[in-house]
Amino acid sequence: MRVTVVGLGPGAGRDLTGRAREALERADLIVGYTAYIALIREEFPEKEMLSTGMRREVDRCRAAVEAAVSGRDVAMVCSGDSGIYGMAGLIYEVAQEYPPIEIEVVPGITAACGGAAVLGAPLTHDFAVVSLSDLLTPWDKIALRLECAAKGDFVLCLYNPASHSRPDHLKRACDILMAAGKSPDTICGYVQNIGREGERGTITTLGALRDTQVDMFTTVFIGSSQTKLLGGKMVTPRGYLQREG
Ligand code: SAH
């Protein structure tokens, strides 16, 4: 009868919104990637849960939609926000192949927001979000988007900065940004395990970030030309004080 696509926030727990919690309480089946199911299993011990492995996104969405068609109230969980590199779009696409069901999207705190709060206030002005994963997007397109964001002097937030199969993507991205005119001294930061055990934020420069190895549980922030270090935090001024000055 219904699929609710629920964003759990970066680490579920305290970052789960009231609306997300209601949707999980209401559901009679929770479907998701194994690691995300693990985040909520303790809190909802009575619920029936169905987990599938990485890269099984289409199977997972089909299972959720088929369960809804058979009359169940299904919650499909995603980390962070359900529509930002999440399953919301795919649920709508897959549902086209089945008899009509109700679909609801419940937003969550995305890694960009969670990580920004750890580093300080890097996203207070215009920013662009780019995923460095070329599993579904050709690298040329990713490179062009990075170049355009650099030329527009956006703050950049990078998702999927690395994985086992592509350990050097962040290095390549930093090279593209510097070739497009960003200074190697640009203030940057990265946050591992946002909202989870082992959360750790690091502030650095673009030149040093180029030679840093990060993992897939990391979100990377690259400052604009205005971003600065204030009391050890990464801050992009909106311009209020400058206007008064
Ligand atoms: N829907 C998710 C994004 C999924 S894409 C969201 O809105 O946050 C997966 C990427 O998101 C990871 O490679 C990482 O870059 C980022 N990410 C998601 N959760 C994270 C966390 N808890 N800590 C750090 N980065 C995270």
Side-chain angles (χ1 to χ4, degrees):
M1 97 210 187
R2 171 168 56 192
V3 176
T4 311
V5 199
V6 182
L8 299 177
R14 287 191 308 151
D15 283 336
L16 203 66
T17 65
R19 208 171 134 193
R21 194 176 299 277
E22 274 172 27
L24 295 177
E25 278 164 4
R26 180 184 73 193
D28 58 43
L29 173 67
I30 300 180
V31 181
Y33 167 47
T34 317
Y36 305 152
I37 290 288
L39 287 176
I40 53 167
R41 194 175 286 283
E42 243 178 63
E43 211 175 326
F44 299 92
E46 309 295 317
K47 291 282 174 191
E48 186 183 340
M49 301 203 185
L50 175 68
S51 59
T52 64
M54 234 161 110
R55 302 221 189 155
R56 303 305 302 266
E57 292 86 358
V58 176
D59 292 346
R60 201 183 305 148
C61 286
R62 281 195 204 290
V65 170
E66 280 168 16
V69 168
S70 78
R72 304 195 68 178
D73 194 340
V74 184
M76 156 68 82
V77 296
C78 309
S79 86
D81 179 69
S82 48
I84 298 182
Y85 310 117
M87 292 292 112
L90 184 55
I91 284 284
Y92 277 108
E93 289 182 298
V94 165
Q96 299 304 308
E97 302 164 13
Y98 293 87
I101 52 162
E102 189 187 326
I103 298 174
E104 187 191 347
V105 178
V106 174
I109 299 174
T110 189
C113 300
V118 174
L119 293 175
L123 305 182
T124 311
H125 213 301
D126 299 342
F127 66 98
V129 179
V130 177
S131 165
L132 297 191
S133 169
D134 62 356
L135 290 176
L136 303 171
T137 306
W139 179 259
D140 285 353
K141 194 167 204 174
I142 296 171
L144 177 63
R145 288 179 176 166
L146 291 170
E147 192 186 328
C148 290
K151 293 202 165 131
D153 197 25
F154 283 92
V155 173
L156 258 165
C157 187
L158 304 179
Y159 283 56
N160 299 300
S163 75
H164 294 302
S165 57
R166 39 187 180 83
D168 67 335
H169 276 199
L170 181 59
K171 176 177 287 189
R172 287 163 70 187
C174 291
D175 285 340
I176 291 166
L177 296 173
M178 288 189 278
K182 282 189 92 72
S183 162
D185 297 326
T186 305
I187 302 293
C188 294
Y190 57 93
V191 191
Q192 294 156 276
N193 299 312
I194 302 161
R196 301 180 190 169
E197 206 175 306
E199 177 182 88
R200 196 159 76 95
T202 307
I203 295 181
T204 181
T205 61
L206 184 55
L209 183 66
R210 181 194 180 276
D211 298 314
T212 301
Q213 189 59 57
V214 298
D215 63 21
M216 62 190 288
F217 305 108
T218 304
T219 300
V220 174
F221 296 78
I222 296 177
S224 71
S225 63
Q226 305 304 305
T227 305
K228 46 189 166 186
L229 205 54
L230 285 181
K233 294 291 186 177
M234 178 178 180
V235 179
T236 307
R238 177 82 200 283
Y240 297 109
L241 280 176
Q242 291 74 5
R243 182 179 59 186
E244 284 182 6

